[in-house]
Amino acid sequence: MFEKKAEISNNEAKIALETSVKVLKNTLRKNFGEYLNHSSVNGIYPVCKNDQWTNGFYVGELWLAYEFTGDEEFKRGAEALIPGFIERIKKKIAVDHHDMGFLYSPSCIAAHKLTGNEEAKEAAILAADMLISRFQEKGEFLQAWGAMGEEGNYRYIIDCLLNLPLLYRASEMTGDDKYRNIALKHITTCLKYSIRPDGSTYHTFFMDKNTGGPLRGETCQGYSNESFWARGQAWGVYGTALSYRYTHKEEYKDAFKKTLDFYLSKLPEDMVPYWDMIFTEGEEPRDSSSASIVACGLLEMANLVGEEEAAYCRSLAAKMLKSLADNYAVKPENGSNGLVLHGTYSKKSPYNTCSEAGVDECVSWGDYFYMEALTRFTKDWDTYW
Ligand code: GLY
C-alpha cells in the first residue's frame, strides 16, 4: 500500500521546518506573551486565555523552533508562557479534566528538559497529581470530563493515551510508582474496550459505575458511534507507541499495528484522512492533524523496533510528511499565522454530540505535531512526551 508515493527527503524536511519557523517567528513577534486559541478562524488564531486543553501546543512549537534554530528569541517566547502554566495548576484554573499531558508535556516537561526549569518540573508533577485524581477504581480508567463519578460522564476517551506519558515521567521524576501504575491500569482498560476487532476505535467509552464493567462506545467528535473518527484513530496509533516506549509491553505494540493497519486501510490517495474515516473520497473536510500525529507515532515506533520494521515505519512517515509539506503546510504568502491548513477540530453530524469548531482550519495540535514529526525525521529527538 502506498508503495509508489514519494518520501520527503531530509533536506526537504529541513526546508519545511524552516518555513514553519518563519511563520512562527512572525506570530511570536505579534503575540509575545499571549496564548493562542485551539483553532484558527479563516486561517488566523485568535488570542485566548490559558484555560483550554490545547494551550500547551503553541509553547511546544516555540520549544521545537528553539531546538531547531538555537535562536534565543524562541526560548524567550516559550519561557514567557511558562509562568501561566505554573499558576494554572497551582490555582487549579480549568484543570478539572484529564488533558494534563497535552497541557504540561509540550510546555513544562519541555521547559525542564531544555532549560532545567525546576518550577516547570514541579508544575508537571502537580499536573500528574491532578490527572491521577481522576482515576476511577470501578472500571480502572481516568475519567475524561466532568464532575468525578457523574453518571453521564463515567467514561474515558481514546485521546487520553497521550496524557499517559506525563504519568510515566512523574514516576521517573519522583521515584513514586503510583503514577505509572495508574497509567498501566488505564491503558489496559482502554485497549480492551476502545479497539474494535477490526482495529478501528471508539472515541469515548462508558463504564458501569456500579460494577466497573464495560457499557458502550459512543462518539463525541466522530460522525457516529460506530464510525471511525480520524483523530481518535491517530491518538490510538501514537498513544500505543508512546506507552510501548515506556514499558516495552508487546500488547501495546500489537495495538499499535492493529490501529495503524486500520488507519492505513481508510486513507485517501494523498494519505491525509478525512475528518472521519467512514469518508474515503469526496468533499468532506480533511483532518491534516491526524496525519501529523500518526507520522509521530510511526517515527516513535521506528526507534523501538528492528531494522526492517523501522524502515517500514519511517518510510510511511516520510510519505505522509511529503504530502503534508507539499500540499497542506502554510506558506508565508498564505497570510495565516498557523502552520498546517485543513485540520478539523469538531464537525457536527446528525449523530454526534460535539459543538462545531475549527472545521477546515489550522488546529494548534496539528501545527505542533507537524513540527514534532519533522523534527523527529531530521534528528534523533529527545521527546517531550
Ligand atoms: N482531544 C480532543 C481532540 O482531539 O479534538
Side-chain angles (χ1 to χ4, degrees):
M1 210 187 305
F2 303 115
E3 280 86 7
K4 297 216 166 84
K5 300 297 291 180
E7 297 181 6
I8 200 164
S9 67
N10 209 48
N11 196 41
E12 285 171 326
K14 283 190 177 145
I15 292 169
L17 264 175
E18 276 162 16
T19 305
S20 292
V21 159
K22 225 180 259 172
V23 176
L24 200 56
K25 188 164 242 182
N26 286 337
T27 306
L28 176 61
R29 288 189 173 163
K30 196 157 174 249
N31 298 109
F32 188 90
E34 295 183 303
Y35 299 92
L36 300 180
N37 210 24
H38 46 71
S39 44
S40 65
V41 179
N42 298 323
I44 302 292
Y45 285 104
V47 167
C48 69
K49 287 195 200 143
N50 185 2
D51 62 0
Q52 303 175 12
W53 72 273
T54 51
N55 292 108
F57 297 117
Y58 171 56
V59 192
E61 288 165 49
L62 295 172
W63 286 128
L64 288 172
Y66 171 55
E67 284 203 61
F68 180 61
T69 59
D71 181 343
E72 296 278 323
E73 193 174 342
F74 288 115
K75 182 176 170 218
R76 284 194 295 276
E79 281 181 327
L81 299 175
I82 295 298
F85 282 85
I86 296 168
E87 188 196 20
R88 181 167 173 178
I89 194 66
K90 283 194 172 155
K91 294 194 177 156
K92 295 190 169 48
I93 301 164
V95 289
D96 51 349
H97 56 81
H98 71 146
D99 279 328
M100 296 302 108
F102 280 122
L103 281 167
Y104 283 85
S105 297
S107 59
C108 289
I109 293 283
H112 179 244
K113 183 176 103 67
L114 296 172
T115 69
N117 184 331
E118 283 297 315
E119 266 198 294
K121 174 181 160 185
E122 293 312 317
I125 294 168
L126 287 177
D129 285 325
M130 179 56 71
L131 179 52
I132 61 169
S133 77
R134 299 194 66 83
F135 185 66
Q136 293 289 9
E137 291 288 348
K138 276 267 161 72
E140 305 203 320
F141 66 95
L142 291 157
Q143 187 183 317
W145 305 315
M148 287 298 283
E150 214 173 46
E151 196 74 37
N153 273 312
Y154 208 74
R155 62 173 156 178
Y156 66 88
I157 70 175
I158 192 148
D159 322 31
C160 191
L161 291 175
L162 268 285
N163 291 319
L164 303 186
L166 180 69
L167 300 184
Y168 301 127
R169 290 251 183 198
S171 278
E172 285 174 2
M173 292 188 296
T174 61
D176 188 337
D177 272 348
K178 70 180 176 191
Y179 305 98
R180 179 185 168 90
N181 289 340
I182 284 180
L184 296 180
K185 283 184 180 168
H186 176 88
I187 189 171
T188 299
T189 304
C190 178
L191 299 190
K192 202 159 157 189
Y193 301 122
S194 297
I195 303 180
R196 303 183 186 108
D198 63 0
S200 66
T201 52
Y202 287 112
H203 178 198
T204 90
F205 204 94
F206 281 94
M207 305 298 283
D208 188 311
K209 209 181 148 172
N210 300 311
T211 66
L215 282 180
R216 67 187 181 282
E218 211 176 82
T219 202
C220 172
Q221 285 157 268
Y223 182 74
S224 68
N225 291 344
E226 295 303 325
S227 72
F228 327 118
W229 181 47
R231 200 159 53 259
Q233 198 69 24
W235 295 137
V237 173
Y238 193 15
T240 49
L242 286 168
S243 274
Y244 182 65
R245 168 201 171 89
Y246 281 97
T247 63
H248 288 276
K249 284 180 186 280
E250 280 305 302
E251 60 264 38
Y252 303 166
K253 192 162 83 169
D254 294 344
F256 168 85
K257 284 187 185 155
K258 211 170 161 179
T259 50
L260 174 66
D261 285 348
F262 185 87
Y263 177 86
L264 294 175
S265 77
K266 297 289 175 191
L267 282 180
E269 211 266 331
D270 74 352
M271 301 181 87
V272 174
Y274 288 88
W275 68 281
D276 190 300
M277 299 182 92
I278 51 160
F279 305 112
T280 52
E281 57 184 7
E283 298 307 314
E284 286 288 328
R286 303 295 181 108
D287 177 36
S288 55
S289 75
S290 295
S292 295
I293 294 163
V294 169
C296 288
L298 286 162
L299 293 169
E300 175 67 62
M301 194 51 90
N303 293 330
L304 308 170
V305 291
E307 234 171 80
E308 202 178 313
E309 276 180 283
Y312 171 73
C313 288
R314 211 175 147 75
S315 166
L316 276 173
K319 289 169 184 170
M320 292 172 191
L321 283 174
K322 174 87 178 148
S323 181
L324 287 168
D326 284 357
N327 298 314
Y328 290 80
V330 166
K331 311 279 182 286
E333 60 273 17
N334 292 143
S336 170
N337 65 354
L339 305 183
V340 189
L341 304 169
H342 308 304
T344 293
Y345 182 9
S346 289
K347 187 172 187 313
K348 194 85 200 88
S349 88
Y351 311 108
N352 70 18
T353 55
C354 69
S355 321
E356 192 147 295
V359 176
D360 198 18
E361 288 285 348
C362 301
V363 291
S364 58
W365 58 92
D367 293 353
Y368 169 79
F369 286 110
Y370 175 65
M371 282 189 75
E372 182 186 306
L374 290 169
T375 303
R376 282 177 174 276
F377 192 77
T378 49
K379 72 172 194 173
D380 191 11
W381 182 63
D382 188 9
T383 180
Y384 306 158
W385 300 98

